[in-house]
Amino acid sequence: MSELHTWTGLLLGWVLYAMFLTGTVSYFKDELSRWARPEVPHQAAVPDPAVAAQRVADELARVAPGSAQWSLRMPDARNPAVAAFWRTTPSQPGARRSFAEGSFDAATGARVAGRETLGGEFFYRFHFQFHYLPVLWGRWLAGAAAMFMLVAIVSGVITHKKIFIDFFTFRWGKGQRSWLDAHNAVSVFGLPFHLMITYTGLVTLMAMYMPWGEQAAFRTPAERQQMTRELNAFIQPGRPSGTAAPLAPVDAMVRQAQGRWGPDDVGRVTVTHAGDAAARVAIARGDPGRVSTSPQYLLFEGATGRLLETHDRVGPAAETRGVMMALHMGRFGDLSLRWLYFAVGLAGTAMVGTGLVMWTVKRRARLARPDRVHVGFRVVERLNVAAIAGLSIAMTAFLWANRLLPASLAGRADWEVHAFFLAWGACLLHAACRPARRAWIEQLGFAAAALALLPVLDAVVAHRPPWRSVAEGDGVFVGVALVAWAFAGLHAVLALRAARHRPVVPAGRRAPASAPAPGRSGGRPA
């Protein structure tokens, strides 16, 4: 069982570390997206969704006439702007459908001329799709890693019989023992969360991993369409009638939804074939305040504004899936709950990271000649440096690129992502070329400096110093600055600990005098 725990934790441990860290950051993806677009004006109060929907619908009628579908995400306390996307006309018959998107000022309805960026959405998508991989491959890799994680957690609980006793024990400066104590502490601290987040992560994509039940149960197009309606509030455009008919006032439809769910519970407005007699408008309820993502929406006839259908409940299976997804994404919670998710998610990241480092610490202690390690050990040691310290540098590089790349650069959002992977690749190359201990020190130190200077860069380039944001009551920029400094301090402490660490080598296994010292050939952070 111990071997099972060790190898399931190691084989995909680097993938799991990246999934945990970027997934944890994603609990604040809306705030990161807001930080990434400093041009979007701050709204002191949440705009009325009905008024905002009507303004943006009027603007889209001008910007995207004849589009088969619009979809508007309504503003809320975390997103002051209306995010919209719409179908565009294919360049030629038979070509794949394409979309355009943009942000709109909720106060005026005008399109916001902001920089092109994925913002926090990049970290969210990366944690289960890994960006450059084909989407399905990335999701299969995420599923395999999650299954390994589930096995590692269960086998870890069985293996560490005194795990709850050890939770209250930490022996500082004891080498391998200290790493094991740290691993136990962060594992036990968030054990229910780690089990929940891993299992629900698998459930979110279960239809892709195991489609056979769905294929056996729903055989006709009508049955499959009904299943889609149970799982999704995103209505698909049917065929237009060809008869022109102006779209009825959208704000009146949103008001009906507000009367049913509350003034701030409208999440999305989707319109199909605006300007046609066959137009439909779906007003979907938002996720905050309910522990389920199962779709709830009102469907209206677009030309008249008449309510056609109320969809406010789903079957038990679909509701169970909705609850699982809500638990995983945590969108139902307020700010304090998101910080709790964030803290326990960081504990999960530390659990994976300490497990990876402990693998090298344990095996180095068993080596007859610590100065002569085998190739597999070197590979794991270097991958640990690049996966743990290098990922911090890569994520910071993404944020730096957001501020430094010209706003007019073609493919700007792609170049932000390229900066992330180029920085990560450089960290891997650096770790391969440098002694392991020096690589830890240098990469942790570099990450600390880059994080500490990020708010300074923000103040100089984006003209958003923390004091200005405080004066305007905008906590996003202040929050990002404080978190960046907190993580800079953490990386600085780890770099100092690694620099001061001197591995203890038993006298009987010390290298000959002519051989290089252990500390110069490899090592680990303390």
Side-chain angles (χ1 to χ4, degrees):
M1 192 61 73
S2 176
E3 290 295 311
L4 179 65
H5 177 68
T6 298
W7 289 104
T8 51
L10 176 70
L11 290 179
L12 289 178
W14 303 287
V15 178
L16 281 169
Y17 183 87
M19 289 173 65
F20 251 99
L21 184 55
T22 53
T24 298
V25 169
S26 299
Y27 288 118
F28 288 98
K29 76 181 181 72
D30 289 347
E31 286 75 10
L32 274 176
S33 295
R34 169 82 181 85
W35 179 90
R37 295 184 181 89
E39 302 86 0
V40 176
H42 170 63
Q43 302 283 349
V46 179
D48 183 355
V51 176
Q54 186 61 59
R55 286 171 177 159
V56 178
D58 293 342
E59 182 67 9
L60 281 174
R62 188 183 64 80
V63 172
S67 173
Q69 188 178 44
W70 310 335
S71 187
L72 321 177
R73 176 181 168 173
M74 291 293 96
D76 54 32
R78 301 175 66 190
N79 300 284
V82 178
F85 68 87
W86 57 92
R87 292 196 188 214
T88 56
T89 305
S91 57
Q92 56 186 359
R96 296 185 63 182
R97 63 189 182 188
S98 58
F99 295 88
E101 61 182 2
S103 292
F104 295 81
D105 190 334
T108 64
R111 192 169 183 178
V112 178
R115 64 190 65 194
E116 183 188 348
T117 177
L118 292 179
E121 189 71 17
F122 167 66
F123 297 121
Y124 171 67
R125 294 286 169 187
F126 175 85
H127 100 277
F128 65 97
Q129 293 181 171
F130 307 104
H131 194 74
Y132 285 139
L133 288 179
V135 170
L136 290 182
W137 290 21
R139 294 184 176 194
W140 273 106
L141 176 59
M147 184 57 74
F148 272 56
M149 183 72 180
L150 198 59
V151 173
I153 291 174
V154 174
S155 58
V157 171
I158 296 172
T159 301
H160 300 298
K161 296 178 181 177
K162 298 181 179 178
I163 191 168
F164 291 101
I165 298 175
D166 289 344
F167 174 68
F168 298 98
T169 305
F170 185 76
R171 285 151 283 200
W172 189 267
K174 300 294 183 182
Q176 177 185 332
R177 187 71 247 179
S178 297
W179 281 107
L180 181 59
D181 287 345
H183 184 69
N184 287 341
V186 294
S187 301
V188 176
F189 170 68
L191 181 58
F193 176 84
H194 302 151
L195 277 170
M196 179 275 290
I197 209 72
T198 305
Y199 180 71
T200 55
L202 285 167
V203 170
T204 57
L205 297 174
M206 64 180 181
M208 190 190 82
Y209 299 142
M210 295 187 296
W212 307 285
E214 172 189 322
Q215 292 170 358
F218 308 110
R219 295 177 179 276
T220 66
E223 290 174 337
R224 285 193 286 274
Q225 187 178 19
Q226 177 60 28
M227 186 198 71
T228 301
R229 287 158 57 89
E230 290 278 303
L231 301 178
N232 201 334
F234 193 68
I235 58 172
Q236 297 296 325
R239 292 184 180 277
S241 67
T243 304
L247 188 66
V250 175
D251 54 351
M253 301 180 225
V254 175
R255 295 258 182 245
Q256 288 193 48
Q258 288 177 305
R260 188 177 190 87
W261 301 320
D264 298 323
D265 277 351
V266 175
R268 183 170 289 277
V269 176
T270 303
V271 182
T272 61
H273 297 301
D276 187 273
R280 295 289 183 270
V281 178
I283 313 293
R285 188 177 182 182
D287 292 329
R290 62 191 187 104
V291 192
S292 176
T293 61
S294 60
Q296 295 185 12
Y297 62 91
L298 305 180
L299 184 65
F300 296 89
E301 188 176 57
T304 63
R306 180 169 62 90
L307 179 63
L308 297 176
E309 183 181 335
T310 299
H311 190 94
D312 57 3
R313 62 175 53 87
V314 297
E319 193 66 73
T320 302
R321 174 182 177 273
V323 171
M324 292 287 182
M325 292 186 68
L327 287 173
H328 188 84
M329 295 186 284
R331 293 176 184 167
F332 59 90
D334 56 8
L335 181 62
S336 57
L337 185 69
R338 286 201 301 281
W339 275 114
L340 179 61
Y341 265 65
F342 185 79
V344 190
L346 285 181
T349 307
M351 175 183 68
V352 178
T354 52
L356 287 170
V357 174
M358 196 164 60
W359 190 93
T360 59
V361 171
K362 290 176 67 175
R363 276 146 190 82
R364 179 173 289 281
R366 298 172 188 166
L367 292 173
R369 290 285 303 274
D371 57 312
R372 294 183 179 179
V373 297
H374 53 80
V375 175
F377 184 91
R378 286 182 181 276
V379 169
V380 172
E381 203 170 38
R382 267 55 178 188
L383 284 175
N384 282 352
V385 178
I388 297 173
L391 181 59
S392 297
I393 295 174
M395 294 173 72
T396 311
F398 178 89
L399 302 178
W400 274 69
N402 175 269
R403 287 296 186 258
L404 293 178
L405 290 176
S408 58
L409 178 67
R412 189 181 185 285
D414 292 334
W415 277 108
E416 289 181 359
V417 178
H418 296 334
F420 172 91
F421 284 102
L422 287 171
W424 208 2
C427 290
L428 179 60
L429 184 62
H430 172 266
C433 296
R434 297 284 288 162
R437 179 165 168 267
R438 293 304 311 170
W440 276 114
I441 297 169
E442 290 162 4
Q443 292 200 21
L444 288 170
F446 188 86
L451 283 162
L453 291 174
L454 181 63
V456 179
L457 176 74
D458 191 29
V460 173
V461 177
H463 309 295
R464 293 305 300 254
W467 53 86
R468 177 186 161 189
S469 299
V470 170
E472 295 178 354
D474 187 352
V476 169
F477 292 85
V478 180
V480 171
L482 292 177
V483 171
W485 283 330
F487 276 95
L490 174 64
H491 284 78
V493 169
L494 291 174
L496 286 173
R497 293 288 303 174
R500 292 173 180 172
H501 179 66
R502 295 291 180 271
V504 177
V505 181
R509 290 193 282 118
R510 282 177 184 160
S514 57
R520 297 179 63 82
S521 63
R524 69 261 186 199

